[in-house]
């Protein structure tokens, strides 16, 4: 959450954190591809909206994730041994990176695009005749 210490949290896992966020860049693209394959061959407004929202998602969200995840990992890695003084020195920069207006907007736009893509894909399938499956109630 904003204001929670980032440097002290990430310092012990900085190598893993950085590698994870590097790996996530192509994984987000594969998530987008999965939705594109899901609506492949479907016509209509909902399918078009889903494809457009996926295009926004695969551009914006990995950029956000790389900026925040990889950027913070590289900053902490370059810091040297994580002493209390060094972590305190870099904390304001990490707070600005995580909660700044640019990365915040990227997170909101990318996240909203993902939700729109999935809801529109479900709507497109429903429009194509997919049945709604209801959960079984209590016995």
């Amino acid at each position: 959450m904003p204001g929670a210490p980032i440097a002290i949290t990430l310092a012990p896992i900085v190598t893993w954190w950085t590698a994870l966020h590097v790996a996530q860049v192509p994984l987000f693209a594969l998530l987008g591809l999965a939705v594109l394959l899901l609506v492949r061959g479907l016509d209509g407004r909902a399918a078009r909206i889903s494809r457009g929202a996926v295009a926004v998602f695969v551009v914006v969200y990995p950029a956000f994730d790389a900026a925040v995840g990889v950027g913070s990992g590289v900053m902490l890695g370059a810091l040297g041994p994580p002493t209390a003084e060094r972590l305190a020195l870099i904390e304001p920069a990490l707070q600005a990176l995580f909660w700044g207006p640019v990365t915040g907007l990227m997170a909101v736009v990318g996240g909203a695009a993902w939700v729109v893509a999935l809801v529109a894909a479900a709507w497109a399938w429903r429009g194509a005749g997919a049945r709604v499956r209801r959960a079984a109630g209590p016995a």
Side-chain angles (χ1 to χ4, degrees), residues 67-129:
V68 173
V70 177
S72 61
V74 168
M75 286 169 52
L76 280 165
L79 188 62
T83 64
E85 295 80 21
R86 288 179 176 172
L87 294 178
L89 183 66
I90 200 169
E91 185 65 31
L94 290 173
Q95 289 289 333
L97 180 62
F98 271 67
W99 307 109
V102 174
T103 53
L105 181 62
M106 291 168 74
V108 169
V109 169
W114 181 243
V115 171
V116 168
L118 294 181
V119 170
W123 193 289
W125 271 101
R126 182 73 176 121

Side-chain angles (χ1 to χ4, degrees), residues 4-49:
I6 298 169
I8 198 164
T9 303
L10 297 183
I13 58 167
V14 69
T15 302
W16 175 86
W17 174 264
T18 306
L20 171 69
H21 286 84
V22 168
Q24 282 182 315
V25 173
L27 293 176
F28 284 127
L30 289 174
L31 277 173
L33 178 61
V35 175
L36 288 177
L37 292 173
L38 186 66
V39 296
R40 180 180 58 181
L42 295 179
D43 293 325
R45 182 180 310 165
R48 285 191 305 273
I49 289 171

